[in-house]
Amino acid sequence: MSMDTHLKIIEALANGIDPLTGEVLPNESPYNHPDTIRALFAVINHIKHPPKKKQKIKKPLSKNAQIILKMAYLKMRGYLGLKRKEMCSQLSLQQMSRKII
């Protein structure tokens, strides 16, 4: 069954019509309950007009955040015993060695 067929069945049920016979559904039918009708129309609306995906905007990291991430990476790689100046030299950050950590 195609998506169009599925949609036609849901639309028929939402409008109170039996999709197989084309007859009007009885008032006692669960498909004629107001909450069911609202739910079916919500599904139809969602199928016909799907929500737009939000584009994730990647913000560049600040200079300090980049440095902290690089230092954490070096620590994970086994440079745990390095002092601040040694670690900064590993990162080529001699001019910033006094400001970090």
Side-chain angles (χ1 to χ4, degrees):
M1 228 187 274
S2 70
M3 185 57 83
D4 290 334
T5 307
H6 295 296
L7 189 58
K8 286 179 184 177
I9 292 171
I10 295 170
E11 285 176 335
L13 290 171
N15 290 316
I17 298 172
D18 184 336
L20 301 177
T21 63
E23 297 175 3
V24 177
L25 293 170
N27 287 336
E28 305 83 35
S29 171
Y31 291 106
N32 276 332
H33 189 275
D35 291 338
T36 305
I37 294 169
R38 282 188 209 100
L40 290 169
F41 277 114
V43 169
I44 292 167
N45 187 44
H46 185 77
I47 292 171
K48 287 184 174 181
H49 310 287
K52 295 179 181 178
K53 293 181 181 178
K54 293 181 181 177
Q55 292 182 350
K56 293 183 180 179
I57 300 172
K58 293 184 179 182
K59 296 180 181 177
L61 294 175
S62 68
K63 191 71 169 176
N64 287 339
Q66 290 175 7
I67 292 168
I68 291 168
L69 285 174
K70 287 180 183 179
M71 292 176 99
Y73 175 74
L74 286 175
K75 285 182 179 181
M76 287 175 19
R77 292 288 306 238
Y79 293 99
L80 293 172
L82 291 179
K83 294 183 179 179
R84 180 173 56 193
K85 286 187 179 183
E86 293 170 334
M87 193 175 293
C88 289
S89 68
Q90 290 287 331
L91 295 169
S92 302
L93 301 170
Q94 283 88 13
Q95 73 274 11
M96 300 181 110
S97 63
R98 293 184 199 120
K99 297 180 184 178
I100 304 171
I101 304 178

